[in-house]
Amino acid sequence: MIRTVVFDFEGTLVDFQWQLAPAQAELREAFAAQGHAVSGNYAQMWNAAADQAVAAGRLHALRAALGPVYDRWDADALTRWSPRPGAAALLQRLAARGVAAAMVSNIGRSALAAGLERCALQRALAPVLSRDDVVHLKPHPEGVRAVLALRGCAPARALFVGDSLADVAAARAAGLRVAIVRGGECDEAAFATAAPDHFVSTLDEVDALLDAPGG
């Protein structure tokens, strides 16, 4: 039986509001100005730069230089986030079943905390790991593995619920089954070569996955 459900935030428990195209254009300029590669998306650029920064003992400097750019786009999305229908009710049902709910998000700590509080979701999730709490962002599995360690939960007893290819990759690398909520960062066609275990159209469908084969 699933004992822990690990959620993504934006696109999963709230709607997706990050303005990807202009945000990534600004981030490419910012990474290039710092002498870093600019291939891949916002998470892949960060992870490549973080590997170099850690090796050089300059992770703090990287956060100081690039963090404000990410934070600005987080803050912009925060002004528009609304909870997905059924988000609070799902977390309440999980708690009633004795199933822990946790979170790993590529959103920074400030906007994530504000978004969770505004949507009245913060008390039902523990731990909550933001971009500022890890070295690597999803699709790297660092955050997912950290949550499982903190919960004392084996991967086979956990389910990841997200909305993006990065969520599928992070969950798979950490050994978790993964469900994708339609209508988030990535449309369904994007998963043709990286299929999740489940697609759901609404959060109300997640309950049935806790006892699905393999769970």
Side-chain angles (χ1 to χ4, degrees), residues 62-101:
L62 180 69
R63 290 194 191 279
L66 276 299
V69 182
Y70 285 90
D71 289 341
R72 187 163 58 253
W73 290 103
D74 289 346
D76 172 72
L78 171 62
T79 65
R80 296 182 299 279
W81 283 330
S82 295
R84 284 250 199 170
L90 171 60
L91 296 178
Q92 291 171 359
R93 291 195 301 273
L94 293 178
R97 291 185 61 167
V99 176

PDB file of all heavy atoms in Angstrom, residues 62-101:
ATOM      1  N   LEU A  62      26.536  31.165  -7.083  1.00  0.00           N
ATOM      2  CA  LEU A  62      25.575  30.877  -8.144  1.00  0.00           C
ATOM      3  C   LEU A  62      24.163  31.227  -7.692  1.00  0.00           C
ATOM      4  O   LEU A  62      23.388  31.836  -8.451  1.00  0.00           O
ATOM      5  CB  LEU A  62      25.656  29.400  -8.546  1.00  0.00           C
ATOM      6  CG  LEU A  62      24.701  28.970  -9.656  1.00  0.00           C
ATOM      7  CD1 LEU A  62      25.106  29.584 -10.994  1.00  0.00           C
ATOM      8  CD2 LEU A  62      24.665  27.435  -9.778  1.00  0.00           C
ATOM      9  N   ARG A  63      23.818  30.847  -6.481  1.00  0.00           N
ATOM     10  CA  ARG A  63      22.484  31.183  -5.966  1.00  0.00           C
ATOM     11  C   ARG A  63      22.291  32.700  -5.907  1.00  0.00           C
ATOM     12  O   ARG A  63      21.213  33.213  -6.239  1.00  0.00           O
ATOM     13  CB  ARG A  63      22.287  30.587  -4.575  1.00  0.00           C
ATOM     14  CG  ARG A  63      22.166  29.062  -4.537  1.00  0.00           C
ATOM     15  CD  ARG A  63      21.638  28.617  -3.190  1.00  0.00           C
ATOM     16  NE  ARG A  63      21.726  27.200  -2.983  1.00  0.00           N
ATOM     17  CZ  ARG A  63      20.847  26.309  -3.460  1.00  0.00           C
ATOM     18  NH1 ARG A  63      19.829  26.726  -4.195  1.00  0.00           N
ATOM     19  NH2 ARG A  63      20.995  25.023  -3.208  1.00  0.00           N
ATOM     20  N   ALA A  64      23.316  33.411  -5.477  1.00  0.00           N
ATOM     21  CA  ALA A  64      23.199  34.864  -5.371  1.00  0.00           C
ATOM     22  C   ALA A  64      23.013  35.520  -6.734  1.00  0.00           C
ATOM     23  O   ALA A  64      22.276  36.502  -6.867  1.00  0.00           O
ATOM     24  CB  ALA A  64      24.447  35.430  -4.681  1.00  0.00           C
ATOM     25  N   ALA A  65      23.660  34.963  -7.757  1.00  0.00           N
ATOM     26  CA  ALA A  65      23.592  35.555  -9.087  1.00  0.00           C
ATOM     27  C   ALA A  65      22.324  35.202  -9.836  1.00  0.00           C
ATOM     28  O   ALA A  65      21.732  36.044 -10.519  1.00  0.00           O
ATOM     29  CB  ALA A  65      24.813  35.120  -9.905  1.00  0.00           C
ATOM     30  N   LEU A  66      21.886  33.946  -9.739  1.00  0.00           N
ATOM     31  CA  LEU A  66      20.758  33.471 -10.547  1.00  0.00           C
ATOM     32  C   LEU A  66      19.447  33.357  -9.776  1.00  0.00           C
ATOM     33  O   LEU A  66      18.365  33.440 -10.362  1.00  0.00           O
ATOM     34  CB  LEU A  66      21.098  32.113 -11.158  1.00  0.00           C
ATOM     35  CG  LEU A  66      21.896  32.103 -12.463  1.00  0.00           C
ATOM     36  CD1 LEU A  66      21.139  32.820 -13.567  1.00  0.00           C
ATOM     37  CD2 LEU A  66      23.283  32.663 -12.312  1.00  0.00           C
ATOM     38  N   GLY A  67      19.539  33.161  -8.457  1.00  0.00           N
ATOM     39  CA  GLY A  67      18.332  33.008  -7.662  1.00  0.00           C
ATOM     40  C   GLY A  67      17.327  34.137  -7.834  1.00  0.00           C
ATOM     41  O   GLY A  67      16.119  33.876  -7.980  1.00  0.00           O
ATOM     42  N   PRO A  68      17.770  35.402  -7.852  1.00  0.00           N
ATOM     43  CA  PRO A  68      16.807  36.488  -8.002  1.00  0.00           C
ATOM     44  C   PRO A  68      16.018  36.446  -9.310  1.00  0.00           C
ATOM     45  O   PRO A  68      14.868  36.895  -9.350  1.00  0.00           O
ATOM     46  CB  PRO A  68      17.687  37.741  -7.931  1.00  0.00           C
ATOM     47  CG  PRO A  68      18.858  37.322  -7.085  1.00  0.00           C
ATOM     48  CD  PRO A  68      19.117  35.899  -7.488  1.00  0.00           C
ATOM     49  N   VAL A  69      16.613  35.909 -10.362  1.00  0.00           N
ATOM     50  CA  VAL A  69      15.889  35.808 -11.638  1.00  0.00           C
ATOM     51  C   VAL A  69      14.754  34.791 -11.492  1.00  0.00           C
ATOM     52  O   VAL A  69      13.602  35.059 -11.855  1.00  0.00           O
ATOM     53  CB  VAL A  69      16.830  35.411 -12.783  1.00  0.00           C
ATOM     54  CG1 VAL A  69      16.057  35.358 -14.107  1.00  0.00           C
ATOM     55  CG2 VAL A  69      18.005  36.381 -12.889  1.00  0.00           C
ATOM     56  N   TYR A  70      15.084  33.614 -10.947  1.00  0.00           N
ATOM     57  CA  TYR A  70      14.045  32.614 -10.702  1.00  0.00           C
ATOM     58  C   TYR A  70      12.972  33.166  -9.757  1.00  0.00           C
ATOM     59  O   TYR A  70      11.772  32.978  -9.986  1.00  0.00           O
ATOM     60  CB  TYR A  70      14.654  31.352 -10.090  1.00  0.00           C
ATOM     61  CG  TYR A  70      15.414  30.475 -11.046  1.00  0.00           C
ATOM     62  CD1 TYR A  70      16.777  30.654 -11.257  1.00  0.00           C
ATOM     63  CD2 TYR A  70      14.780  29.438 -11.728  1.00  0.00           C
ATOM     64  CE1 TYR A  70      17.484  29.831 -12.125  1.00  0.00           C
ATOM     65  CE2 TYR A  70      15.475  28.615 -12.593  1.00  0.00           C
ATOM     66  CZ  TYR A  70      16.826  28.820 -12.792  1.00  0.00           C
ATOM     67  OH  TYR A  70      17.517  28.004 -13.654  1.00  0.00           O
ATOM     68  N   ASP A  71      13.411  33.842  -8.700  1.00  0.00           N
ATOM     69  CA  ASP A  71      12.466  34.355  -7.713  1.00  0.00           C
ATOM     70  C   ASP A  71      11.493  35.353  -8.336  1.00  0.00           C
ATOM     71  O   ASP A  71      10.314  35.396  -7.953  1.00  0.00           O
ATOM     72  CB  ASP A  71      13.211  35.027  -6.559  1.00  0.00           C
ATOM     73  CG  ASP A  71      13.952  34.055  -5.671  1.00  0.00           C
ATOM     74  OD1 ASP A  71      13.621  32.858  -5.705  1.00  0.00           O
ATOM     75  OD2 ASP A  71      14.866  34.496  -4.950  1.00  0.00           O
ATOM     76  N   ARG A  72      11.981  36.165  -9.255  1.00  0.00           N
ATOM     77  CA  ARG A  72      11.122  37.164  -9.879  1.00  0.00           C
ATOM     78  C   ARG A  72      10.004  36.510 -10.690  1.00  0.00           C
ATOM     79  O   ARG A  72       8.853  36.946 -10.652  1.00  0.00           O
ATOM     80  CB  ARG A  72      11.963  38.090 -10.756  1.00  0.00           C
ATOM     81  CG  ARG A  72      11.187  39.272 -11.314  1.00  0.00           C
ATOM     82  CD  ARG A  72      12.099  40.361 -11.820  1.00  0.00           C
ATOM     83  NE  ARG A  72      13.012  39.910 -12.856  1.00  0.00           N
ATOM     84  CZ  ARG A  72      14.328  39.713 -12.677  1.00  0.00           C
ATOM     85  NH1 ARG A  72      14.868  39.913 -11.481  1.00  0.00           N
ATOM     86  NH2 ARG A  72      15.087  39.322 -13.669  1.00  0.00           N
ATOM     87  N   TRP A  73      10.340  35.438 -11.412  1.00  0.00           N
ATOM     88  CA  TRP A  73       9.312  34.745 -12.190  1.00  0.00           C
ATOM     89  C   TRP A  73       8.390  33.933 -11.288  1.00  0.00           C
ATOM     90  O   TRP A  73       7.196  33.774 -11.576  1.00  0.00           O
ATOM     91  CB  TRP A  73       9.958  33.884 -13.273  1.00  0.00           C
ATOM     92  CG  TRP A  73      10.557  34.735 -14.346  1.00  0.00           C
ATOM     93  CD1 TRP A  73      11.879  35.028 -14.535  1.00  0.00           C
ATOM     94  CD2 TRP A  73       9.854  35.456 -15.366  1.00  0.00           C
ATOM     95  NE1 TRP A  73      12.045  35.873 -15.597  1.00  0.00           N
ATOM     96  CE2 TRP A  73      10.824  36.154 -16.131  1.00  0.00           C
ATOM     97  CE3 TRP A  73       8.515  35.580 -15.701  1.00  0.00           C
ATOM     98  CZ2 TRP A  73      10.476  36.960 -17.212  1.00  0.00           C
ATOM     99  CZ3 TRP A  73       8.158  36.382 -16.781  1.00  0.00           C
ATOM    100  CH2 TRP A  73       9.129  37.056 -17.515  1.00  0.00           C
ATOM    101  N   ASP A  74       8.920  33.423 -10.174  1.00  0.00           N
ATOM    102  CA  ASP A  74       8.063  32.787  -9.170  1.00  0.00           C
ATOM    103  C   ASP A  74       7.033  33.784  -8.645  1.00  0.00           C
ATOM    104  O   ASP A  74       5.848  33.479  -8.520  1.00  0.00           O
ATOM    105  CB  ASP A  74       8.883  32.292  -7.976  1.00  0.00           C
ATOM    106  CG  ASP A  74       9.759  31.087  -8.263  1.00  0.00           C
ATOM    107  OD1 ASP A  74       9.566  30.439  -9.306  1.00  0.00           O
ATOM    108  OD2 ASP A  74      10.636  30.807  -7.425  1.00  0.00           O
ATOM    109  N   ALA A  75       7.515  34.981  -8.306  1.00  0.00           N
ATOM    110  CA  ALA A  75       6.639  35.998  -7.730  1.00  0.00           C
ATOM    111  C   ALA A  75       5.562  36.423  -8.727  1.00  0.00           C
ATOM    112  O   ALA A  75       4.419  36.694  -8.338  1.00  0.00           O
ATOM    113  CB  ALA A  75       7.458  37.207  -7.286  1.00  0.00           C
ATOM    114  N   ASP A  76       5.932  36.464  -9.996  1.00  0.00           N
ATOM    115  CA  ASP A  76       4.945  36.783 -11.027  1.00  0.00           C
ATOM    116  C   ASP A  76       3.862  35.705 -11.084  1.00  0.00           C
ATOM    117  O   ASP A  76       2.663  36.016 -11.127  1.00  0.00           O
ATOM    118  CB  ASP A  76       5.653  36.901 -12.381  1.00  0.00           C
ATOM    119  CG  ASP A  76       4.670  37.044 -13.528  1.00  0.00           C
ATOM    120  OD1 ASP A  76       4.059  38.113 -13.655  1.00  0.00           O
ATOM    121  OD2 ASP A  76       4.517  36.064 -14.290  1.00  0.00           O
ATOM    122  N   ALA A  77       4.269  34.443 -11.070  1.00  0.00           N
ATOM    123  CA  ALA A  77       3.291  33.349 -11.098  1.00  0.00           C
ATOM    124  C   ALA A  77       2.418  33.349  -9.851  1.00  0.00           C
ATOM    125  O   ALA A  77       1.210  33.046  -9.916  1.00  0.00           O
ATOM    126  CB  ALA A  77       4.011  32.015 -11.245  1.00  0.00           C
ATOM    127  N   LEU A  78       3.000  33.694  -8.721  1.00  0.00           N
ATOM    128  CA  LEU A  78       2.269  33.721  -7.451  1.00  0.00           C
ATOM    129  C   LEU A  78       1.037  34.610  -7.526  1.00  0.00           C
ATOM    130  O   LEU A  78       0.003  34.309  -6.914  1.00  0.00           O
ATOM    131  CB  LEU A  78       3.204  34.195  -6.331  1.00  0.00           C
ATOM    132  CG  LEU A  78       2.588  34.499  -4.959  1.00  0.00           C
ATOM    133  CD1 LEU A  78       1.959  33.253  -4.358  1.00  0.00           C
ATOM    134  CD2 LEU A  78       3.659  35.058  -4.024  1.00  0.00           C
ATOM    135  N   THR A  79       1.124  35.686  -8.295  1.00  0.00           N
ATOM    136  CA  THR A  79      -0.014  36.608  -8.379  1.00  0.00           C
ATOM    137  C   THR A  79      -1.229  35.969  -9.041  1.00  0.00           C
ATOM    138  O   THR A  79      -2.345  36.483  -8.913  1.00  0.00           O
ATOM    139  CB  THR A  79       0.364  37.879  -9.165  1.00  0.00           C
ATOM    140  OG1 THR A  79       0.643  37.546 -10.536  1.00  0.00           O
ATOM    141  CG2 THR A  79       1.581  38.564  -8.547  1.00  0.00           C
ATOM    142  N   ARG A  80      -1.020  34.842  -9.746  1.00  0.00           N
ATOM    143  CA  ARG A  80      -2.122  34.226 -10.495  1.00  0.00           C
ATOM    144  C   ARG A  80      -2.467  32.807 -10.041  1.00  0.00           C
ATOM    145  O   ARG A  80      -3.447  32.237 -10.510  1.00  0.00           O
ATOM    146  CB  ARG A  80      -1.771  34.186 -11.997  1.00  0.00           C
ATOM    147  CG  ARG A  80      -1.629  35.558 -12.629  1.00  0.00           C
ATOM    148  CD  ARG A  80      -1.334  35.461 -14.126  1.00  0.00           C
ATOM    149  NE  ARG A  80      -0.093  34.758 -14.410  1.00  0.00           N
ATOM    150  CZ  ARG A  80       1.119  35.312 -14.336  1.00  0.00           C
ATOM    151  NH1 ARG A  80       1.248  36.576 -13.985  1.00  0.00           N
ATOM    152  NH2 ARG A  80       2.215  34.611 -14.611  1.00  0.00           N
ATOM    153  N   TRP A  81      -1.669  32.186  -9.174  1.00  0.00           N
ATOM    154  CA  TRP A  81      -1.936  30.802  -8.786  1.00  0.00           C
ATOM    155  C   TRP A  81      -3.302  30.642  -8.134  1.00  0.00           C
ATOM    156  O   TRP A  81      -3.688  31.424  -7.262  1.00  0.00           O
ATOM    157  CB  TRP A  81      -0.887  30.300  -7.806  1.00  0.00           C
ATOM    158  CG  TRP A  81       0.427  29.932  -8.431  1.00  0.00           C
ATOM    159  CD1 TRP A  81       0.651  29.458  -9.680  1.00  0.00           C
ATOM    160  CD2 TRP A  81       1.700  30.014  -7.794  1.00  0.00           C
ATOM    161  NE1 TRP A  81       1.993  29.232  -9.877  1.00  0.00           N
ATOM    162  CE2 TRP A  81       2.653  29.574  -8.734  1.00  0.00           C
ATOM    163  CE3 TRP A  81       2.127  30.416  -6.532  1.00  0.00           C
ATOM    164  CZ2 TRP A  81       4.019  29.514  -8.440  1.00  0.00           C
ATOM    165  CZ3 TRP A  81       3.482  30.369  -6.244  1.00  0.00           C
ATOM    166  CH2 TRP A  81       4.408  29.918  -7.183  1.00  0.00           C
ATOM    167  N   SER A  82      -3.983  29.589  -8.539  1.00  0.00           N
ATOM    168  CA  SER A  82      -5.221  29.169  -7.881  1.00  0.00           C
ATOM    169  C   SER A  82      -5.142  27.668  -7.657  1.00  0.00           C
ATOM    170  O   SER A  82      -4.565  26.950  -8.480  1.00  0.00           O
ATOM    171  CB  SER A  82      -6.442  29.474  -8.755  1.00  0.00           C
ATOM    172  OG  SER A  82      -6.605  30.868  -8.915  1.00  0.00           O
ATOM    173  N   PRO A  83      -5.704  27.176  -6.557  1.00  0.00           N
ATOM    174  CA  PRO A  83      -5.647  25.729  -6.318  1.00  0.00           C
ATOM    175  C   PRO A  83      -6.414  24.960  -7.374  1.00  0.00           C
ATOM    176  O   PRO A  83      -7.460  25.402  -7.853  1.00  0.00           O
ATOM    177  CB  PRO A  83      -6.271  25.567  -4.932  1.00  0.00           C
ATOM    178  CG  PRO A  83      -7.094  26.798  -4.737  1.00  0.00           C
ATOM    179  CD  PRO A  83      -6.401  27.886  -5.489  1.00  0.00           C
ATOM    180  N   ARG A  84      -5.889  23.815  -7.746  1.00  0.00           N
ATOM    181  CA  ARG A  84      -6.632  22.913  -8.621  1.00  0.00           C
ATOM    182  C   ARG A  84      -7.882  22.437  -7.866  1.00  0.00           C
ATOM    183  O   ARG A  84      -7.842  22.207  -6.649  1.00  0.00           O
ATOM    184  CB  ARG A  84      -5.778  21.708  -8.978  1.00  0.00           C
ATOM    185  CG  ARG A  84      -4.710  21.984 -10.000  1.00  0.00           C
ATOM    186  CD  ARG A  84      -5.069  21.298 -11.294  1.00  0.00           C
ATOM    187  NE  ARG A  84      -3.914  21.146 -12.160  1.00  0.00           N
ATOM    188  CZ  ARG A  84      -3.922  20.417 -13.256  1.00  0.00           C
ATOM    189  NH1 ARG A  84      -5.003  19.733 -13.606  1.00  0.00           N
ATOM    190  NH2 ARG A  84      -2.866  20.334 -14.027  1.00  0.00           N
ATOM    191  N   PRO A  85      -8.994  22.238  -8.576  1.00  0.00           N
ATOM    192  CA  PRO A  85     -10.187  21.713  -7.905  1.00  0.00           C
ATOM    193  C   PRO A  85      -9.891  20.400  -7.177  1.00  0.00           C
ATOM    194  O   PRO A  85      -9.272  19.503  -7.737  1.00  0.00           O
ATOM    195  CB  PRO A  85     -11.164  21.496  -9.073  1.00  0.00           C
ATOM    196  CG  PRO A  85     -10.744  22.494 -10.105  1.00  0.00           C
ATOM    197  CD  PRO A  85      -9.242  22.542 -10.005  1.00  0.00           C
ATOM    198  N   GLY A  86     -10.290  20.333  -5.942  1.00  0.00           N
ATOM    199  CA  GLY A  86     -10.124  19.116  -5.162  1.00  0.00           C
ATOM    200  C   GLY A  86      -8.803  18.978  -4.440  1.00  0.00           C
ATOM    201  O   GLY A  86      -8.577  17.970  -3.763  1.00  0.00           O
ATOM    202  N   ALA A  87      -7.910  19.986  -4.539  1.00  0.00           N
ATOM    203  CA  ALA A  87      -6.583  19.849  -3.927  1.00  0.00           C
ATOM    204  C   ALA A  87      -6.672  19.696  -2.410  1.00  0.00           C
ATOM    205  O   ALA A  87      -6.110  18.754  -1.836  1.00  0.00           O
ATOM    206  CB  ALA A  87      -5.716  21.049  -4.294  1.00  0.00           C
ATOM    207  N   ALA A  88      -7.360  20.605  -1.752  1.00  0.00           N
ATOM    208  CA  ALA A  88      -7.452  20.539  -0.285  1.00  0.00           C
ATOM    209  C   ALA A  88      -8.180  19.284   0.165  1.00  0.00           C
ATOM    210  O   ALA A  88      -7.781  18.627   1.137  1.00  0.00           O
ATOM    211  CB  ALA A  88      -8.142  21.789   0.250  1.00  0.00           C
ATOM    212  N   ALA A  89      -9.240  18.932  -0.543  1.00  0.00           N
ATOM    213  CA  ALA A  89     -10.006  17.745  -0.167  1.00  0.00           C
ATOM    214  C   ALA A  89      -9.181  16.475  -0.304  1.00  0.00           C
ATOM    215  O   ALA A  89      -9.273  15.564   0.526  1.00  0.00           O
ATOM    216  CB  ALA A  89     -11.273  17.646  -1.024  1.00  0.00           C
ATOM    217  N   LEU A  90      -8.354  16.406  -1.348  1.00  0.00           N
ATOM    218  CA  LEU A  90      -7.494  15.234  -1.513  1.00  0.00           C
ATOM    219  C   LEU A  90      -6.518  15.113  -0.355  1.00  0.00           C
ATOM    220  O   LEU A  90      -6.340  14.013   0.204  1.00  0.00           O
ATOM    221  CB  LEU A  90      -6.727  15.335  -2.830  1.00  0.00           C
ATOM    222  CG  LEU A  90      -5.626  14.283  -3.034  1.00  0.00           C
ATOM    223  CD1 LEU A  90      -6.188  12.865  -3.000  1.00  0.00           C
ATOM    224  CD2 LEU A  90      -4.875  14.545  -4.345  1.00  0.00           C
ATOM    225  N   LEU A  91      -5.901  16.209   0.036  1.00  0.00           N
ATOM    226  CA  LEU A  91      -4.952  16.153   1.148  1.00  0.00           C
ATOM    227  C   LEU A  91      -5.649  15.738   2.442  1.00  0.00           C
ATOM    228  O   LEU A  91      -5.074  15.001   3.253  1.00  0.00           O
ATOM    229  CB  LEU A  91      -4.262  17.507   1.309  1.00  0.00           C
ATOM    230  CG  LEU A  91      -3.383  17.946   0.130  1.00  0.00           C
ATOM    231  CD1 LEU A  91      -2.786  19.320   0.385  1.00  0.00           C
ATOM    232  CD2 LEU A  91      -2.275  16.932  -0.139  1.00  0.00           C
ATOM    233  N   GLN A  92      -6.873  16.176   2.632  1.00  0.00           N
ATOM    234  CA  GLN A  92      -7.632  15.767   3.820  1.00  0.00           C
ATOM    235  C   GLN A  92      -7.934  14.274   3.793  1.00  0.00           C
ATOM    236  O   GLN A  92      -7.839  13.591   4.823  1.00  0.00           O
ATOM    237  CB  GLN A  92      -8.929  16.572   3.899  1.00  0.00           C
ATOM    238  CG  GLN A  92      -8.728  18.042   4.214  1.00  0.00           C
ATOM    239  CD  GLN A  92     -10.002  18.856   4.066  1.00  0.00           C
ATOM    240  OE1 GLN A  92     -11.064  18.325   3.711  1.00  0.00           O
ATOM    241  NE2 GLN A  92      -9.915  20.154   4.336  1.00  0.00           N
ATOM    242  N   ARG A  93      -8.281  13.761   2.628  1.00  0.00           N
ATOM    243  CA  ARG A  93      -8.582  12.328   2.527  1.00  0.00           C
ATOM    244  C   ARG A  93      -7.325  11.495   2.765  1.00  0.00           C
ATOM    245  O   ARG A  93      -7.392  10.427   3.401  1.00  0.00           O
ATOM    246  CB  ARG A  93      -9.186  12.000   1.152  1.00  0.00           C
ATOM    247  CG  ARG A  93     -10.574  12.574   0.942  1.00  0.00           C
ATOM    248  CD  ARG A  93     -11.259  11.942  -0.254  1.00  0.00           C
ATOM    249  NE  ARG A  93     -10.534  12.119  -1.501  1.00  0.00           N
ATOM    250  CZ  ARG A  93     -10.650  13.161  -2.307  1.00  0.00           C
ATOM    251  NH1 ARG A  93     -11.458  14.169  -1.982  1.00  0.00           N
ATOM    252  NH2 ARG A  93      -9.979  13.213  -3.446  1.00  0.00           N
ATOM    253  N   LEU A  94      -6.195  11.937   2.258  1.00  0.00           N
ATOM    254  CA  LEU A  94      -4.952  11.205   2.500  1.00  0.00           C
ATOM    255  C   LEU A  94      -4.648  11.143   3.989  1.00  0.00           C
ATOM    256  O   LEU A  94      -4.288  10.085   4.521  1.00  0.00           O
ATOM    257  CB  LEU A  94      -3.797  11.863   1.752  1.00  0.00           C
ATOM    258  CG  LEU A  94      -3.841  11.813   0.221  1.00  0.00           C
ATOM    259  CD1 LEU A  94      -2.645  12.566  -0.362  1.00  0.00           C
ATOM    260  CD2 LEU A  94      -3.851  10.374  -0.283  1.00  0.00           C
ATOM    261  N   ALA A  95      -4.795  12.273   4.663  1.00  0.00           N
ATOM    262  CA  ALA A  95      -4.537  12.296   6.107  1.00  0.00           C
ATOM    263  C   ALA A  95      -5.474  11.349   6.844  1.00  0.00           C
ATOM    264  O   ALA A  95      -5.065  10.642   7.780  1.00  0.00           O
ATOM    265  CB  ALA A  95      -4.685  13.722   6.631  1.00  0.00           C
ATOM    266  N   ALA A  96      -6.732  11.308   6.428  1.00  0.00           N
ATOM    267  CA  ALA A  96      -7.704  10.429   7.080  1.00  0.00           C
ATOM    268  C   ALA A  96      -7.345   8.965   6.888  1.00  0.00           C
ATOM    269  O   ALA A  96      -7.660   8.129   7.753  1.00  0.00           O
ATOM    270  CB  ALA A  96      -9.101  10.707   6.527  1.00  0.00           C
ATOM    271  N   ARG A  97      -6.678   8.651   5.784  1.00  0.00           N
ATOM    272  CA  ARG A  97      -6.258   7.278   5.522  1.00  0.00           C
ATOM    273  C   ARG A  97      -4.904   6.952   6.146  1.00  0.00           C
ATOM    274  O   ARG A  97      -4.429   5.823   6.038  1.00  0.00           O
ATOM    275  CB  ARG A  97      -6.164   7.034   4.012  1.00  0.00           C
ATOM    276  CG  ARG A  97      -7.479   7.027   3.292  1.00  0.00           C
ATOM    277  CD  ARG A  97      -7.328   6.672   1.819  1.00  0.00           C
ATOM    278  NE  ARG A  97      -6.773   5.333   1.620  1.00  0.00           N
ATOM    279  CZ  ARG A  97      -6.774   4.690   0.462  1.00  0.00           C
ATOM    280  NH1 ARG A  97      -7.298   5.256  -0.612  1.00  0.00           N
ATOM    281  NH2 ARG A  97      -6.252   3.483   0.355  1.00  0.00           N
ATOM    282  N   GLY A  98      -4.268   7.932   6.762  1.00  0.00           N
ATOM    283  CA  GLY A  98      -2.956   7.707   7.339  1.00  0.00           C
ATOM    284  C   GLY A  98      -1.845   7.722   6.305  1.00  0.00           C
ATOM    285  O   GLY A  98      -0.762   7.177   6.543  1.00  0.00           O
ATOM    286  N   VAL A  99      -2.100   8.343   5.163  1.00  0.00           N
ATOM    287  CA  VAL A  99      -1.108   8.451   4.099  1.00  0.00           C
ATOM    288  C   VAL A  99      -0.453   9.827   4.187  1.00  0.00           C
ATOM    289  O   VAL A  99      -1.145  10.853   4.180  1.00  0.00           O
ATOM    290  CB  VAL A  99      -1.757   8.263   2.712  1.00  0.00           C
ATOM    291  CG1 VAL A  99      -0.735   8.475   1.598  1.00  0.00           C
ATOM    292  CG2 VAL A  99      -2.379   6.875   2.608  1.00  0.00           C
ATOM    293  N   ALA A 100       0.854   9.852   4.280  1.00  0.00           N
ATOM    294  CA  ALA A 100       1.575  11.117   4.382  1.00  0.00           C
ATOM    295  C   ALA A 100       1.582  11.833   3.044  1.00  0.00           C
ATOM    296  O   ALA A 100       1.618  11.200   1.983  1.00  0.00           O
ATOM    297  CB  ALA A 100       3.006  10.871   4.843  1.00  0.00           C
ATOM    298  N   ALA A 101       1.558  13.159   3.079  1.00  0.00           N
ATOM    299  CA  ALA A 101       1.655  13.978   1.875  1.00  0.00           C
ATOM    300  C   ALA A 101       2.863  14.898   2.024  1.00  0.00           C
ATOM    301  O   ALA A 101       3.015  15.576   3.044  1.00  0.00           O
ATOM    302  CB  ALA A 101       0.392  14.795   1.670  1.00  0.00           C
TER     303      ALA A 101
END
